[in-house]
Amino acid sequence: MVTAINGYDFARKGALLLAGTILSGTPVFAQTAPVATATPTPVRNPVTGAANGVTPVAAPVSVNTIKTLRVEGSQRIEPETVLSYTKLRVGIPYTPETLDQALKDLQASDLFADYSISGVANGNIVLRVRENPIINRVIIEGNKALKSDKITKEIKLAPRQIFTRTAVRQDIGRIIELYRRQGRFAAVVDPKMVNLDQNRVDVVFEVSEGPKSKVRQINILGNEVFSDDQIRGQMATKQARLFRLLSSATSYDQDRLSYDQQKLRQFYLTQGYADFRVTSAVAELTPDKKDFIITYVVEEGKRYKFGDVTVDSQIRDFDNTKLAASLPLKKGDWYNAKLVEDSVDNLSQTAGLFGYAFTEVNPEFQKDADTLTMGINFNIAEAKRTYVERIEINGNTQTQDKVVRREIRLAEGDAFNSFQVKRSQDRINSLGYFQDKMEIKQLPGSAPDRVILETNLEEKSTGELQLSAGYSSLERFIIQANITQRNFRGKGQELRAGVNYSSYSKSIELGFTEPYLFDKNIAVGGDLFRRDYNSFNYIGNDRQTTYSQVSTGFQLRAGVPLTEFWSLSARYGLSYDEVGLSEASYFTDGKCDILKAGRYLCEAIGNRWTSSVGYSLIHDTLNSRLRPTAGSRFSFSQDFAGLGGDVKYIRTRAEGAKYWNAGSGFILSAIGEGGYIKSLEGSRGAGIDRVRITDRFYLGEPQFRGFDIRGVGPRVLRIPYTTDATTGKQVLATDRNTFIDDALGGNAYYLGRIEMEIPLGSGARELGLRPSIYVQAGSLFSITKPNLTLDPKLYPRAADGSLLPYAPAVLTSTGAMQYVVPISADTTMPNPGEGTVTTCQTGYSATAGGTCTGTTANTLVTSSPYGPYSEQFLGNSAKPRLSIGIGVNWNSPFGPLRIDLAKALLSQPGDDPKLITFNVGTQF
């Protein structure tokens, strides 16, 4: 009995079948019957009728016939189905070839593990089969670089399917191909089969992934003008080096190999080498299958210059001479294929501005190998002025059509204008309702002078529910709950609500914006808020609250466009501010103690109403409001407080930003802002600024990186005195961590930043990483010098004339001042214990009022909670502060994260630099 044995290939089974199928020792071949002798029939002459002779005729050979036909061994498959795969039927003759073909047909069905034929001798044919097992599970083991779910999507074997060797081999090939796409050419897949009861099996693919195949070396042959390193620098594929440990560009990729050839050709064509070509590109896998060695053979050719550059326009509206003069390529310059492409785009856009949507611009090259020049004639084919026949909007299932149409700068029936199409595209992308890089397609209309604008949208989620906890170097621990719907009811309306809580600030806000009131281009909105903010300073590394400010109020807004790029907005706000200090920390006998808080903080206490009206004039050409890469934005704003209420001022601010696409994914931006606030109130007293501390500008982290929060500008430092270990005299401390630092804000400021966003590989982009380098300059200044706690002229002085700190002394019951013996007491003193209280300013007396012995200077006991100190007013300077740094934005699973490493290069006395800052859990 010959069966199909697991693991045997088709050639071996065929050889066995040709050798003969044996059952019970009986050969399968049919016996040849003996030749029967028949009486010859005489053949007569058709004319005479006489017999011409006898021609013997051979009897036909007899063959075996299938008398019965049945199937044994089938369980899931019906016998009739098994027979349907063969041509065997009861009553038909059979030969060895017929039976051999039946076995091949059963094998081709991929349904059976074993199959055989018996009963060949007597015609009672029996097909014995053993069905392929059913797959119970498909298990993948050893895979780390590729997740199991990615592999199972690609393979065909699955539970409850029929197991076949062919399917296993195909799936092995698919898995290996997946690993090769990842650059793992040493990957090996070993299939295993675990037999179970009821003719079931588990299929196990044991994967040995092997190392990722890197590009060890890129060889360049035939280059003379440019070095190997210059040419390698143009390629997307990079050589594996230690400093590229995290780069994906070092992995071998066949598609990238073809792309690199195109990049090389583009590079040479931009340098004037019009005849450049890559004659061969070979990638060789090292014997250990760990690395690749790629070899390029190139022919650089001669370098060309531009010859005559002309424009031949069939459109009568165009002046050929002026068009040619406006092109970026000039005769005598080195040939540059990129400039040719840019010229074609410029001419097409120019034609689009005049309403010609489907203008064909064909550059005709005249290469002169003798003079090494490349003359170019740009042929602009004749075209008809085009009109917008129809605007189609597809893919918006939630957003109403009118929300999209009102952003399109063209209407049906208007003359086509390519600039307006591009502008419409930018405005739709800026909505933030659809996937990025949406394009408006231009399709031919019903006539040659008609165009259809097709807008294919892919909506994305516009609702945001954020429940997060985070940590910020600004606010410490943060709990945040915000809900925002930027496309409420599909009408483009924005509805938002938020609650924020941290150690030093709390707020609740509700807001609503209608961008098109009554379908008119008028935006209106309003906000309700309550903000509880605690200002703070530092004593060492301990952050302590100074004044608290609770603001409750609302704001109403409205805006209208003036032109396509200019808009005007107005607003009115009313708020009630409650500013106070902790009585436990800063009050004495029910009054604010200037020795504890400082005059400037005591002067800030009070409750007041602020009623203000303002406007903003805005010019905006950004290609995206969410993440711009090109364009500019400028705004000028003023707010007037004094329409009732207790506060009167005029605040003026100006902001500007410009973005450039620097190519290759680099985005350059220049951003500047400045402001000034002027009080409209009368004098509030000598040494008191007319603008209240809560209304001033502040500058520092996060706007000014490289400085701490409110780390720039006017401030009062309380610097404690300490005893000099050498001289024993009291001197000002130098450790800033011991200072009390109160930022006072300023009435004027400016800030500028130049930043370059650096592109990363596709893997980093998928993670949402956006690094950048930047330099910033700015300043905060212009306030009245505050009244300090005590005029330095009144400070007591020592015998040598040095300034002594002033603070109210703690007296004994007899009115004598008390002093504390320091650590470094004179050992000649009696009982010079550390911290011992004495009435001696110098030395020690064992009895009150006795003779003081020793030379140690003691510390006066005062009622100030901070001990003796000196106040200094610093930082009120318009001189620029300068910082340089690097930062990374990351859309992390915990929320947006920003990390900055910035160094302050220029600062003023009193400023508070900070090297590293980060923020996570809140929006930037």
Side-chain angles (χ1 to χ4, degrees), residues 349-484:
Q349 291 176 7
T350 301
L353 292 176
F354 283 87
Y356 299 96
F358 303 108
T359 305
E360 293 184 8
V361 180
N362 299 312
E364 299 172 349
F365 298 89
Q366 297 93 35
K367 184 169 66 173
D368 191 331
D370 296 329
T371 60
L372 296 179
T373 58
M374 183 75 74
I376 303 177
N377 176 53
F378 293 95
N379 189 349
I380 304 177
E382 184 177 2
K384 292 184 178 181
R385 194 179 300 274
T386 313
Y387 297 88
V388 178
E389 177 181 344
R390 191 168 65 254
I391 299 176
E392 295 183 352
I393 299 175
N394 305 319
N396 54 316
T397 57
Q398 296 180 356
T399 306
Q400 297 182 7
D401 270 17
K402 67 178 183 180
V403 174
V404 181
R405 289 186 182 274
R406 65 196 184 195
E407 302 299 331
I408 297 177
R409 304 292 93 183
L410 291 168
E412 294 172 351
D414 287 353
F416 175 82
N417 187 302
S418 59
F419 174 79
Q420 297 289 15
V421 173
K422 179 63 169 61
R423 177 64 178 166
S424 303
Q425 184 175 298
D426 290 343
R427 289 180 66 93
I428 294 174
N429 282 326
S430 294
L431 292 174
Y433 307 158
F434 312 105
Q435 297 296 336
D436 296 338
K437 298 182 180 179
M438 184 280 305
E439 294 184 0
I440 299 178
K441 295 183 179 179
Q442 304 164 26
L443 305 178
S446 58
D449 62 345
R450 296 289 184 268
V451 62
I452 298 173
L453 300 181
E454 184 181 70
T455 305
N456 293 316
L457 306 172
E458 184 180 350
E459 292 185 320
K460 64 181 180 182
S461 176
T462 56
E464 299 174 2
L465 175 61
Q466 184 180 18
L467 300 173
S468 63
Y471 183 85
S472 166
S473 57
L474 299 179
E475 298 293 333
R476 298 299 188 259
F477 287 100
I478 300 169
I479 298 175
Q480 188 178 57
N482 292 306
I483 182 169
T484 303

Side-chain angles (χ1 to χ4, degrees), residues 513-591:
T513 302
E514 168 56 71
Y516 278 76
L517 182 65
F518 305 126
D519 291 329
K520 303 296 183 182
N521 203 353
I522 301 174
V524 295
D527 299 284
L528 293 173
F529 60 86
R530 178 182 171 90
R531 305 185 184 108
D532 186 348
Y533 173 75
N534 292 328
S535 185
F536 57 87
N537 59 26
Y538 285 98
I539 300 179
N541 292 323
D542 296 330
R543 175 173 169 171
Q544 66 170 12
T545 298
T546 55
Y547 68 85
S548 62
Q549 178 183 359
V550 179
S551 297
T552 306
F554 68 89
Q555 186 182 77
L556 301 177
R557 309 180 307 274
V560 294
L562 302 178
T563 67
E564 177 61 28
F565 300 107
W566 286 95
S567 61
L568 178 67
S569 64
R571 56 192 166 271
Y572 171 78
L574 180 65
S575 63
Y576 182 67
D577 295 319
E578 302 171 76
V579 181
L581 289 168
S582 170
E583 294 189 5
S585 301
Y586 298 105
F587 278 57
T588 300
D589 297 330
K591 295 182 179 180

